[in-house]
Amino acid sequence: MDEDRDREEAKGAKGAKGAKGANEANEAKEPAPAGMRQGLTSYGDTGFSLFLRKAFIKGAGFSDAALQRPVIGIAGTGSAYNPCHGNAPQLIAAVERGVMLAGGLPMVFPTISLHESFAAPTSMVLRNLMAMDTEEMIGAQPMDAVVLVGGCDKTVPAQLMGAASAGKPAIQLITGSMLTGSHRGERVGACTDCRRWWARLRAQDVGEAEIAQVNEQLVPSVGTCSVMGTASTMACIAEALGMTVPGGASPPAVSAERMRIAEATGAQAVAMAREPDRFRPAQILTAPAFENALRVLLAIGGSTNAVVHLAAIAGRCGFEFDLDAFDRLGRETPVLVDLKPSGAHYMEDFHAAGGMATLLRELKPLLHLDVLTVSGRTLGQELEAAGAGFAQSVVRPLANPIYPQGGIAVLRGNLAPGGAIVKVSAASPALLEHEGRAVVFEDAADLAARIDDPALDVNADDVLVLKRIGPKGAPGMPEAGALPIPLKLARAGVKDMVRISDGRMSGTAFGTVVLHVTPEAAVGGPLAHVQSGDRIRLSASRRELTLLVSPQELTARAAANPVQQPSAERGYRRLFLQSVLQADRGVDFDFLVPAGPKRRLPGR
Ligand code: FES
């Protein structure tokens, strides 16, 4: 903060007090304050606000020379409760180096940190709180651009939602995926193998001693889950949206390459700060960019959770997510990436195969190549710069896909008037066309109490239905949609059944699992009125989810058992239950979505 400029600004502020109207035309021409001068704390005296801020920043040891530089906020999400962000201190140091090398001033600040296994009842309840934290702290503190450091499932969505609403130039830095482990010569990694081994324990296929050994190997380093779960999916989506530096999605958390990406991210943030109007999120997060991201989600066999998160991020940008149009994209976008849970490999293999450049090269005919990225170049230019591909076996060519159609199908029918989804690439093909008897669990507690009861009336061709795990029901739409196979069937060798709920499932899970049934049971959706013994028809090929019960009968059931919507006495839980939207609107809060007409996404 320069002394003469400070005095001029203070004088200007005093003058403006007496002649606001007369000065408006002149003031409109002046550039908005930048660096440490922006967003002054309100004391009713601009000069004093600046004077006081300067005193405190000097107290922190900053020189005048440092304070002349563009200020780059670095949103840190390191926490002892978050092993997925365990490399955050090293990453932040590398970002700071990049910022300094490019002539900026790095300013690290904390936001809340969310880890899947350390947030009760589910991290999804807190995603919107993190988005609000991110948005408000970007807006409240002086910065010209912001680096968002995050990786675990809800973090990247929350940061992109917050940054989109804050409107300052923003760039995402992914923490990176963990390494894979080895159990008796077999490669294992979180969390697809966590589920697989737990299912083996339930089926009495392995004992307690061996499961303890596997437990030591499933998470062999810091970083995000090593398969194409939600974190890896959102990393790929962030790069596809143009919100990371090229190649930012896939380097492992503990690699030197990840640190170089961090340094490059810091440097690029300074370049963005110097051209703020070119690099605001609205310039990057455009309709064509979202369509590219949706293509990538489908082609990677990505997590179903990303459908909810993309709807939320797009909602912040003034788009309304069109599930049916997304389904049409799915019919023409093949699955190309052979990663668990849909395929065989892990994220470090994807990275060794060239990462997103390899995938985007294959997807080129389906992409909008003229979209701007945070690098200042278009996606097409970035692909040109990445050069030619090489022989590898993780990303298939467009002509020889793993699945000819995208990994996620959108279902409609009287059981899900607002839509539901099924990850066909992780399902049992034989169950994707299925009619069966419903075995209903009223909520998660009912499921826990009865699923393993030897007296439970259930057969392998029944349809397991779980109610009240939607946005308001649980609340927070927990990842309980992949119901466990009832113990007596698991021990008889049953590996998969059709399962239906208004909840989500982990991106690392697999099975014939129908999710996000909308409207949810807790707000009186038809799911609330399903009874054990009803018949349900699932047809992925016809995109159909039908409860074979007459409308008259459903109306009578609704009248006999009116739904009481959940509420809470106080605090964030009360805000959540009052304001949360359904899955098709991204489970965002109604008051965080901009008002006014919406543009449909993806376009028709
Ligand atoms: Fe953090 Fe899987 S628990 S990415």
Side-chain angles (χ1 to χ4, degrees):
M1 289 192 278
D2 171 276
E3 302 284 351
D4 294 340
R5 223 167 124 188
D6 292 351
R7 272 193 294 276
E8 282 308 306
E9 283 185 9
K11 256 198 295 181
K14 274 186 197 151
K17 270 189 200 168
K20 188 170 184 292
N23 285 343
E24 259 169 11
N26 289 338
E27 282 173 357
K29 285 182 199 151
E30 286 177 12
M36 286 292 173
R37 293 180 180 81
Q38 65 192 291
L40 291 175
T41 311
S42 189
Y43 293 112
D45 179 341
T46 308
F48 178 67
S49 298
L50 204 53
F51 174 73
L52 205 58
R53 176 174 289 174
K54 189 169 175 180
F56 279 106
I57 198 86
K58 286 272 178 114
F62 289 83
S63 66
D64 280 330
L67 298 173
Q68 297 309 310
R69 294 179 166 209
V71 178
I72 308 301
I74 303 171
T77 52
S79 161
Y81 289 105
N82 198 338
C84 297
H85 298 185
N87 59 343
Q90 296 94 319
L91 282 179
I92 288 171
V95 175
E96 289 181 293
R97 186 168 68 243
V99 170
M100 298 283 278
L101 286 169
L105 174 64
M107 295 290 288
V108 182
F109 66 97
T111 67
I112 60 169
S113 185
L114 303 176
H115 184 277
E116 290 306 289
S117 293
F118 293 90
T122 165
S123 61
M124 188 63 175
V125 172
L126 299 164
R127 184 204 62 180
N128 294 350
L129 183 64
M130 185 174 195
M132 290 170 74
D133 184 2
T134 305
E135 174 186 348
E136 293 300 327
M137 296 320 288
I138 293 173
Q141 301 171 131
M143 64 189 79
D144 299 300
V146 62
V147 177
L148 309 160
V149 184
C152 193
D153 291 16
K154 305 304 176 294
T155 309
V156 174
Q159 291 182 320
L160 291 178
M161 289 161 71
S165 296
K168 288 208 176 149
I171 183 167
Q172 184 78 53
L173 174 63
I174 302 296
T175 55
S177 58
M178 64 182 73
L179 301 177
T180 51
S182 176
H183 172 67
R184 299 184 184 174
E186 181 189 335
R187 200 175 182 202
V188 291
C191 261
T192 302
D193 296 324
C194 312
R195 295 171 199 288
R196 192 166 55 79
W197 279 88
W198 189 249
R200 288 186 66 184
L201 180 73
R202 281 174 57 80
Q204 295 181 323
D205 196 20
V206 292
E208 296 286 349
E210 186 169 4
I211 210 77
Q213 289 174 357
V214 174
N215 192 262
E216 300 269 346
Q217 290 296 318
L218 286 166
V219 182
S221 77
V222 297
T224 56
C225 289
S226 53
V227 298
M228 192 52 84
T230 305
S232 302
T233 300
M234 289 309 302
C236 294
I237 280 175
E239 185 170 343
L241 282 169
M243 289 298 291
T244 75
V245 296
S250 61
V254 295
S255 65
E257 204 170 345
R258 174 56 62 197
M259 296 305 144
R260 290 196 294 271
I261 289 284
E263 186 185 294
T265 300
Q268 189 54 35
V270 179
M272 294 168 73
R274 291 193 164 120
E275 289 185 273
D277 290 335
R278 185 173 175 220
F279 287 111
R280 296 194 192 282
Q283 310 305 120
I284 314 282
L285 297 174
T286 59
F290 277 111
E291 285 186 23
N292 288 344
L294 290 167
R295 295 273 190 200
V296 163
L297 165 62
L298 293 159
I300 61 180
S303 165
T304 47
N305 290 326
V307 178
V308 174
H309 297 319
L310 269 170
I313 300 164
R316 296 297 186 97
C317 301
F319 296 105
E320 189 170 61
F321 201 68
D322 183 341
L323 274 176
D324 295 322
F326 171 61
D327 187 71
R328 280 197 295 280
L329 283 190
R331 289 177 189 269
E332 56 190 50
T333 310
V335 178
L336 299 182
V337 175
D338 188 11
L339 250 63
K340 291 183 178 214
S342 298
H345 296 282
Y346 293 86
M347 269 308 272
E348 60 192 89
D349 307 321
F350 178 56
H351 180 62
M356 284 294 287
T358 302
L359 174 67
L360 295 173
R361 207 179 283 117
E362 289 300 330
L363 277 182
K364 220 170 163 180
L366 300 176
L367 297 176
H368 301 282
L369 297 172
D370 56 350
V371 292
L372 179 69
T373 77
V374 288
S375 70
R377 294 181 290 273
T378 65
L379 188 67
Q381 288 169 329
E382 292 299 356
L383 270 178
E384 286 297 312
F390 52 88
Q392 47 78 38
S393 57
V394 179
V395 181
R396 297 273 192 91
L398 203 53
N400 179 28
I402 297 165
Y403 298 97
Q405 295 196 336
I408 298 171
V410 177
L411 307 171
R412 296 275 183 185
N414 67 345
L415 193 48
I421 61 173
V422 60
K423 187 170 180 176
V424 290
S425 61
S428 304
L431 288 175
L432 285 170
E433 307 295 323
H434 184 79
E435 184 185 315
R437 183 184 67 139
V439 175
V440 176
F441 300 93
E442 292 299 323
D443 54 29
D446 185 32
L447 174 79
R450 294 195 296 124
I451 188 75
D452 291 338
D453 184 344
L456 182 68
D457 178 14
V458 65
N459 301 303
D461 56 359
D462 287 339
V463 174
L464 303 180
V465 175
L466 176 56
K467 303 176 184 177
R468 294 183 181 82
I469 59 163
K472 289 196 181 189
M477 217 181 171
E479 291 183 340
L483 284 69
I485 303 297
L487 203 54
K488 66 181 182 184
L489 297 180
R491 288 183 179 163
V494 176
K495 298 265 187 292
D496 193 12
M497 295 173 72
V498 174
R499 289 160 270 178
I500 298 174
S501 76
D502 44 12
R504 298 175 301 115
M505 77 171 179
S506 164
T508 62
F510 44 87
T512 312
V513 184
V514 176
L515 302 156
H516 310 183
V517 168
T518 303
E520 64 176 309
V523 299
L527 186 69
H529 308 302
V530 182
Q531 294 178 356
S532 287
D534 290 346
R535 295 197 69 79
I536 293 176
R537 188 165 63 222
L538 164 67
S539 170
S541 65
R542 292 198 302 275
R543 303 298 199 254
E544 176 193 349
L545 184 65
T546 304
L547 177 63
L548 299 170
V549 170
S550 71
Q552 296 80 4
E553 170 64 15
L554 280 178
T555 305
R557 289 182 190 178
N561 284 303
V563 165
Q564 277 281 345
Q565 291 207 22
S567 60
E569 280 289 308
R570 62 175 294 281
Y572 178 71
R573 184 67 63 88
R574 182 180 169 93
L575 178 73
F576 187 95
L577 289 172
Q578 283 176 340
S579 311
V580 74
L581 297 166
Q582 291 288 286
D584 58 340
R585 305 282 308 278
V587 194
D588 202 356
F589 290 156
D590 52 11
F591 60 86
L592 294 174
V593 179
K598 307 279 183 291
R599 293 162 286 166
R600 304 288 282 180
L601 184 85
R604 287 171 186 272

